[in-house]
Amino acid sequence: MMKLNEILSGQLNAAEWEAKGYELPKFDIAKLREKTAKEPTWVHFGGGNIFRAFPAAILNDALNTGKYDRGVIVAETFDFEVIDKAYAPYNNLSLCVNLCSDGSIEKKVIASVTEALKADPQFDDWKRLVEIFKNPSLQMISFTITEKGYTFNEADLARGMKPLFAMGKVCALLFERFNAGKLPLTVQSMDNCSHNGDKVKAGVFAYAERWVKDGLVPAEFLTYLKDETKITFPWSMIDKRFRGQQLHRDGEAHLYGSVRECRGGAVSGHRGQLYQRPSTTGFGRCALYDA
């Protein structure tokens, strides 16, 4: 029996995996993790199947080509069992199955996730997230937390600097970045909802405005968040127009690319790529966009 953990254990029989149709990473995983730990560029909130089957898989493809040299760090703000059950037991590796339009099946080992962290101060992982957010190398944070993940309420706003909701935690981490020198960052929603960037912005601003009002943070923090030369909240577009079975029923699979499935996840059609406006935060066009 082949196991994902064999890939990092030194006991990998690559020929056996490849003979059974599995595509293995073409990059040095250990070196990728070391470089990403020192110079992180991307943190993603929401480590579910959508993330693993799409953004993490796309990054994995870029790493295989050598066009990019950093992995992604995943953070979970709510369902901490995702880290315990889907990441930790498999050393942050996963398997992505691609059901192609011609009926063939591609099987790829995804090794682009370098760390998986619980985004809450009750865990030691929070200190690591603070360290990452203070690092000037960080360029983007992104989200697949569903539309309801961007909500907030009066009770959580009243918790001050110890919020429970995702946007409050993100705001607290942005405050750490502000204190580290007003460092720039792109804050990118990848959820399939209208004006998704505005939803992130509204959530973050709600906490920042309340904290300024309550005297918990200086007014300059809110100015920093609203300065588009420092922080941007772009919109993105993902078109999942058909369910997988409808693709084949309607005979239009060839028009809509591939259908991806990740362990434990539902199958859905995905057309096109993820589109982002180039960052205006002083990084220029980062290599990840081109990759």
Side-chain angles (χ1 to χ4, degrees), residues 18-238:
E18 291 169 354
K20 294 184 178 180
Y22 292 89
E23 180 182 318
L24 295 171
K26 297 179 177 62
F27 50 91
D28 188 317
I29 299 173
K31 288 184 178 179
L32 174 75
R33 294 185 173 189
E34 181 180 4
K35 184 164 187 176
T36 305
K38 293 178 180 178
E39 300 175 352
T41 56
W42 181 10
V43 173
H44 183 84
F45 290 88
N49 291 321
I50 292 293
F51 163 71
R52 290 190 290 163
F54 291 100
I58 292 170
L59 177 59
N60 199 78
D61 290 343
L63 292 167
N64 279 336
T65 67
K67 292 181 179 179
Y68 200 60
D69 62 355
R70 244 69 59 90
V72 58
I73 297 167
V74 68
E76 183 59 49
T77 62
F78 174 69
D79 188 0
F80 305 123
E81 284 192 346
V82 169
I83 304 299
D84 293 331
K85 295 183 177 181
Y87 286 91
Y90 310 104
N91 214 337
N92 299 331
L93 301 174
S94 61
L95 180 65
C96 185
V97 177
N98 189 16
L99 309 178
C100 300
S101 58
D102 62 2
S104 62
I105 300 176
E106 294 177 352
K107 296 170 285 188
K108 297 182 180 182
V109 173
I110 306 302
S112 56
V113 178
T114 60
E115 296 178 67
L117 306 172
K118 298 176 182 178
D120 193 275
Q122 67 178 298
F123 302 107
D124 289 339
D125 287 352
W126 183 260
K127 295 178 183 177
R128 172 59 180 151
L129 275 170
V130 170
E131 177 184 327
I132 292 168
F133 269 72
K134 287 182 174 181
N135 196 320
S137 67
L138 185 65
Q139 297 182 356
M140 177 175 72
I141 61 173
S142 58
F143 306 85
T144 49
I145 57 176
T146 75
E147 187 170 1
K148 65 183 179 182
Y150 303 107
T151 59
F152 54 91
N153 61 28
E154 174 59 30
D156 206 52
L157 292 172
R159 292 180 184 274
M161 301 291 289
K162 297 181 179 180
L164 298 179
F165 288 15
M167 291 298 95
K169 295 176 182 180
V170 169
C171 191
L173 290 168
L174 288 171
F175 184 57
E176 297 286 354
R177 194 161 180 81
F178 166 80
N179 285 331
K182 300 180 182 179
L183 300 171
L185 193 65
T186 295
V187 182
Q188 177 72 68
S189 171
M190 296 182 178
D191 278 299
N192 191 26
C193 52
S194 179
H195 297 183
N196 52 12
D198 286 346
K199 295 184 185 301
V200 187
K201 181 191 291 186
V204 169
F205 282 12
Y207 285 91
E209 289 168 354
R210 179 60 176 267
W211 295 349
V212 169
K213 179 182 177 181
D214 291 348
L216 300 175
V217 300
E220 290 79 8
F221 175 51
L222 188 56
T223 301
Y224 160 74
L225 293 177
K226 292 181 177 181
D227 183 351
E228 291 191 354
T229 68
K230 294 291 186 180
I231 305 295
T232 56
F233 299 87
W235 297 354
S236 63
M237 185 282 292
I238 305 174

